[in-house]
């Protein structure tokens, strides 16, 4: 068990960057002992106790909690500012951060709640970090990302690793889901509980974005509030496409590190982590198409049985599937429709029954319209994410 002293309290470090303004913590008693969360939380999300591969991170050196994505049994992807302080507060390039602390300062848990009733960090099971891996120093691109290699492997019954989409970039207007341990409003209410929000959209990718978005990042028109840094953006099939970095102070815009931009770094580190963990390195690290790793169809009885994370049925036997937004989002032999739980998912059959409503959600024509016209107030995030436990059918 890891439990901070009774005097520890939550401190919400609301880092509002007004195109060059510094980052200052909110006043807090005994700040050196407080548990902080540089902010962004899931806007209009729902409590999430099944996405266990979206993990919570405790950074003792920073006195804060963050989110990460378990992408191999002992490998967690998170934000760089979740492991070390800024040297240049207005920059999110990897060279703008101080060196991280020794690995034993960072622990990872799959639990859905990280903060007790007294406001202190409290979990019953966590794994210590063995090695902190940073982005290549010689790379001229900016990036707010880091990898944690853990001392032990998470058991598959506790968390099935997510698949990072290293072989395909995100595209403008693409739908995604966000997961994090942030609060539910700007005051940080609800901090420390894993939450998820669906039906979010990519506003811009790379160069077309405003100048405060790095070329190796992408931006969305909403989805987070203070407390969600380091957490994953998941595409409709459940693959990790982004790492939460920062956003608007009012929760109307978020900036993510683009997973595709750092594909080779992720693959190389995954192979190294596999050697240390004593397991075969994941197929995506060797060029296997990631879409083939998340196809629907396996029998299931609960979400924990599924690699994509959804166990669905439209009235018959239950099977693993993933979310959709229109029939083009589903593989051959499936259509987009509502399952018995009300989720828009890929259901078996080439078309929906005549009496079914089918897929009611559609791509936005222009999700960038509102976000690109807003003032560029940007919020530093500290985020925690978890993915559903997954078990493929034997």
């Amino acid at each position: 068990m890891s439990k901070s002293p009774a005097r520890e309290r939550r401190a919400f470090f609301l880092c509002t960057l007004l195109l060059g303004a510094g980052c200052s913590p909110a006043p807090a008693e005994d700040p050196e002992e407080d548990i902080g969360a540089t902010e962004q939380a899931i806007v209009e999300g729902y409590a999430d106790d099944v996405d266990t591969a979206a993990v919570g991170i405790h950074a003792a050196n920073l006195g804060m909690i963050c989110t990460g994505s378990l992408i191999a049994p002992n490998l967690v992807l998170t934000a760089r500012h979740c492991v070390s302080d800024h040297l240049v507060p207005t920059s999110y390039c990897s060279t703008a951060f101080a060196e991280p602390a020794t690995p034993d300062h960072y622990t990872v848990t799959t639990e859905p709640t990280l903060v007790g009733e007294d406001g202190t960090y409290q979990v019953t099971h966590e794994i210590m970090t063995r090695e902190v891996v940073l982005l290549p120093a010689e790379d001229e691109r900016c990036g707010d990302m880091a990898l944690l290699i853990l001392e032990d492997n998470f058991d598959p019954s506790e968390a099935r690793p997510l698949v990072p989409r290293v072989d395909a970039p995100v595209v403008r207007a693409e739908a995604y889901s966000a997961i994090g341990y942030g609060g539910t409003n700007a005051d940080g209410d609800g901090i420390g509980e894993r939450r998820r929000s669906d039906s979010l959209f990519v506003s811009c990718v790379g160069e077309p974005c405003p100048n405060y978005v790095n070329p190796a990042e992408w931006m969305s028109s909403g989805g987070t509030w203070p407390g969600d840094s380091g957490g994953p953006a998941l595409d409709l099939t459940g693959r990790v496409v982004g790492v939460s970095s920062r956003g608007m102070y009012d929760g109307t815009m978020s900036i993510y590190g683009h997973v595709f931009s750092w594909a080779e770094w992720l693959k190389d580190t995954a192979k190294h982590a596999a050697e240390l963990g004593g397991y075969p390195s994941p197929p995506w690290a060797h060029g296997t198409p990631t879409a083939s790793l998340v196809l629907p169809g396996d029998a299931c009885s609960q979400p924990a049985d599924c690699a994509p994370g959804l166990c669905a049925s439209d009235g018959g036997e239950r099977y693993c599937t993933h979310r959709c937004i229109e029939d083009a989002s589903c593989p051959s032999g499936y259509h987009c429709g509502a399952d018995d739980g009300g989720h828009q998912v890929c259901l078996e059959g080439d078309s929906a029954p005549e009496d079914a409503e089918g897929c009611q959600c559609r791509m936005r024509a222009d999700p960038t319209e509102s976000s690109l016209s807003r003032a560029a107030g940007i919020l530093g995030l500290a985020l925690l994410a978890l993915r559903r436990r997954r078990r493929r059918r034997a």
Side-chain angles (χ1 to χ4, degrees):
M1 168 182 284
S2 174
K3 181 175 181 180
S4 52
R7 294 178 62 195
E8 281 191 342
R9 301 173 179 83
R10 290 174 293 169
F12 303 104
F13 296 103
L14 193 60
C15 304
T16 306
L17 308 181
L18 298 175
L19 285 185
C23 171
S24 60
E29 184 181 355
D30 298 330
E32 293 183 357
E33 296 184 7
D34 288 342
I35 290 295
T38 65
E39 327 234 353
Q40 280 293 62
I42 301 302
V43 174
E44 297 181 354
Y46 53 90
D48 180 4
D49 62 357
V50 295
D51 282 313
T52 56
V55 294
I57 299 169
H58 179 217
N61 61 317
L62 301 176
M64 75 182 186
I65 54 176
C66 266
T67 305
S69 302
L70 186 72
I71 58 173
N74 64 341
L75 184 62
V76 173
L77 175 62
T78 189
R80 172 64 188 271
H81 75 264
C82 288
V83 300
S84 56
D85 284 322
H86 286 83
L87 293 174
V88 184
T90 57
S91 174
Y92 281 80
C93 291
S94 57
T95 55
F97 294 92
E99 286 298 308
T102 55
D104 58 342
H105 283 76
Y106 312 101
T107 53
V108 175
T109 183
T110 62
E111 295 184 17
T113 302
L114 308 181
V115 178
E117 293 182 359
D118 62 352
T120 63
Y121 175 77
Q122 299 179 40
V123 299
T124 59
H125 173 63
E126 58 186 356
I127 296 179
M128 187 175 292
T129 295
R130 175 176 185 167
E131 185 177 336
V132 179
V133 181
L134 306 178
L135 289 172
E138 66 275 9
D139 199 305
E140 296 181 355
R141 293 173 296 174
C142 291
D144 184 13
M145 288 190 190
L147 286 162
L148 305 179
I149 300 177
L150 307 180
E151 287 280 5
D152 299 302
N153 302 342
F154 276 106
D155 190 273
S157 64
E158 185 174 358
R160 289 280 178 170
L162 296 166
V163 174
R165 203 171 89 183
V166 293
D167 53 354
V170 297
V171 296
R172 183 175 174 273
E174 180 174 349
Y176 75 95
S177 297
I179 307 177
Y181 285 86
T184 56
N185 54 39
D187 294 327
D189 293 339
I191 189 77
E193 179 182 14
R194 187 168 65 235
R195 299 179 66 83
R196 174 173 176 143
S197 182
D198 302 315
S199 300
L200 305 171
F201 294 85
V202 176
S203 300
C204 66
V205 186
E207 296 292 352
C209 293
N211 59 10
Y212 51 82
V213 180
N214 298 324
E217 296 178 326
W218 54 269
M219 189 171 77
S220 80
S221 56
T224 52
W225 261 121
D228 291 328
S229 287
L234 305 177
D235 69 7
L236 291 175
T237 66
R239 293 174 293 176
V240 183
V241 294
V243 175
S244 180
S245 176
R246 57 202 188 277
M248 289 290 290
Y249 65 90
D250 58 0
T252 58
M253 180 269 281
S254 298
I255 297 172
Y256 287 84
H258 195 179
V259 165
F260 176 74
S261 295
W262 305 102
E264 295 308 311
W265 173 69
L266 290 166
K267 292 178 183 178
D268 291 344
T269 308
K271 295 172 186 176
H272 173 55
E275 292 179 357
L276 295 176
Y279 59 87
S281 51
W284 55 262
H286 298 276
T288 298
T290 59
S292 69
L293 303 175
V294 292
L295 291 174
D298 286 357
C300 63
S301 60
Q302 58 183 339
D305 296 335
C306 299
L310 278 175
C311 183
S313 171
D314 54 359
E317 294 184 357
R318 306 191 70 79
Y319 51 89
C320 296
T321 187
H322 57 69
R323 297 178 186 272
C324 61
I325 200 163
E326 55 188 6
D327 284 347
S329 305
C330 299
S332 176
Y334 291 82
H335 68 274
C336 187
D339 69 355
D340 55 5
H343 303 291
Q344 293 295 143
V345 300
C346 294
L347 298 173
E348 291 180 340
D350 290 322
S351 60
E354 292 183 2
D355 60 347
E357 294 183 6
C359 186
Q360 298 178 346
C361 47
R362 290 290 182 266
M363 286 278 191
R364 295 184 191 175
D366 190 356
T368 67
E369 191 65 31
S370 60
S371 61
L372 294 182
S373 62
R374 296 182 183 276
I378 301 178
L379 189 72
L381 314 181
L383 164 42
L384 314 134
L386 281 151
R387 176 79 168 102
R388 291 181 177 84
R389 289 175 291 175
R390 304 180 293 174
R391 183 167 65 254
R392 303 292 292 181
R393 183 179 59 183

